[in-house]
Amino acid sequence: AKKDYLAKKSVWIFGGDGWAYDIGFGGLDHVLSSNKKVRIMVLDTEVYSNTGGQSSKSTHIGAVAEFADMGKDTYKKDLFKICMGYPNVYVGQISLGANMMQAIKTIKEAEEHDGPSIILAYSPCIEQGIKGGMGNSINEEKLAVMCGYVTLMRYFDGELHIDSAEPNFEKYDDFLRNEVRYNALILKDKEKADVLLEKNKNAAKERYEYYKNLLNK
């Protein structure tokens, strides 16, 4: 009789990209397929941050990490696209430093969604080697979105919403060179770096065009 006085339960799962994209993906699949009101926040550092900086399925092509000393030669897994394939799942992609209001709106919508929700949060970390240190991480997040490295977007009820402005891909190389994980490959083997980092940029362009085209369908 007094149940209306009880606080509503909100269940959140927090994990990194190594878990969500890689070793824990089977569990993620189970939760997203359950149709339960469970919220998932993936802190995507694009590397196994907690265990020493090993390459994960979230690591972009051309990035230097453990087990990818001469640059990762495979593309980043598109978890956003995969999650769009589950019925009744809310999918969001945020970058808090780039657009705080979009991040808050996405978290609010994920909380209110009647079904599973997942948010992919681009999360700079020390393993990326941002020039000037982690004190510059907010500016780096802004540049990541501005150049098209990260796209802010939400998907629910069969509709995609892109919250980023049109990317300026001319700034893309500046972003890559501002981080040790990419700049290290240029110093080690410039010829290989030119090839892999160009593939990195082209993949970003193709990824953005893919999602942009979904808006017109």
Side-chain angles (χ1 to χ4, degrees):
K2 305 291 185 184
K3 67 180 181 181
D4 290 341
Y5 292 92
L6 299 174
K8 184 182 176 183
K9 227 182 236 187
S10 179
V11 179
W12 283 81
I13 297 170
F14 289 83
D17 55 272
W19 162 72
Y21 284 74
D22 210 335
I23 58 174
F25 180 70
L28 189 72
D29 169 74
H30 184 69
V31 173
L32 294 178
S33 300
S34 70
N35 204 33
K36 302 292 185 183
K37 292 186 70 171
V38 178
R39 293 78 184 84
I40 302 165
M41 177 73 75
V42 180
L43 305 176
D44 189 359
T45 66
E46 302 185 332
V47 72
Y48 276 91
S49 301
N50 292 340
T51 54
Q54 296 89 352
S55 172
S56 83
K57 288 189 177 72
S58 177
T59 306
H60 276 284
I61 190 168
V64 172
E66 286 194 32
F67 307 129
D69 189 54
M70 292 303 293
K72 184 167 175 269
D73 57 6
T74 56
Y75 292 94
K76 175 172 178 167
K77 182 178 187 176
D78 193 341
L79 188 57
F80 193 101
K81 184 191 294 186
I82 292 170
C83 292
M84 284 172 60
Y86 292 87
N88 194 32
V89 170
Y90 179 98
V91 193
Q93 187 153 284
I94 66 174
S95 179
L96 188 65
N99 191 328
M100 184 181 290
M101 293 311 298
Q102 188 266 351
I104 292 171
K105 180 178 182 179
T106 303
I107 294 168
K108 183 175 182 291
E109 289 178 347
E111 171 64 27
E112 293 171 349
H113 180 68
D114 187 18
S117 304
I118 182 168
I119 298 175
L120 309 177
Y122 179 65
S123 306
C125 82
I126 196 168
E127 295 292 342
Q128 296 174 359
I130 298 170
K131 288 185 178 178
M134 288 300 291
N136 290 331
S137 61
I138 289 179
N139 289 333
E140 193 70 356
E141 287 180 75
K142 290 178 179 177
L143 183 57
V145 172
M146 183 192 304
C147 76
Y149 186 87
V150 173
T151 303
L152 306 181
M153 51 189 177
R154 296 164 293 124
Y155 176 83
F156 55 95
D157 296 334
E159 290 188 12
L160 178 70
H161 306 264
I162 295 181
D163 301 316
S164 299
E166 191 79 17
N168 180 2
F169 288 106
E170 291 183 5
K171 299 284 187 181
Y172 202 92
D173 292 336
D174 293 339
F175 172 80
L176 296 180
R177 284 170 172 74
N178 203 42
E179 299 191 354
V180 171
R181 57 176 170 162
Y182 294 116
N183 209 38
L185 185 59
I186 298 172
L187 298 175
K188 289 180 178 182
D189 188 336
K190 188 175 184 308
E191 187 175 342
K192 185 176 184 180
D194 288 343
V195 172
L196 293 184
L197 298 184
E198 187 65 21
K199 286 182 177 181
N200 185 317
K201 184 200 291 187
N202 289 336
K205 291 179 179 178
E206 291 171 8
R207 186 168 60 249
Y208 180 74
E209 286 302 315
Y210 170 80
Y211 287 110
K212 186 178 177 181
N213 288 336
L214 290 182
L215 296 176
N216 303 319
K217 292 183 179 179

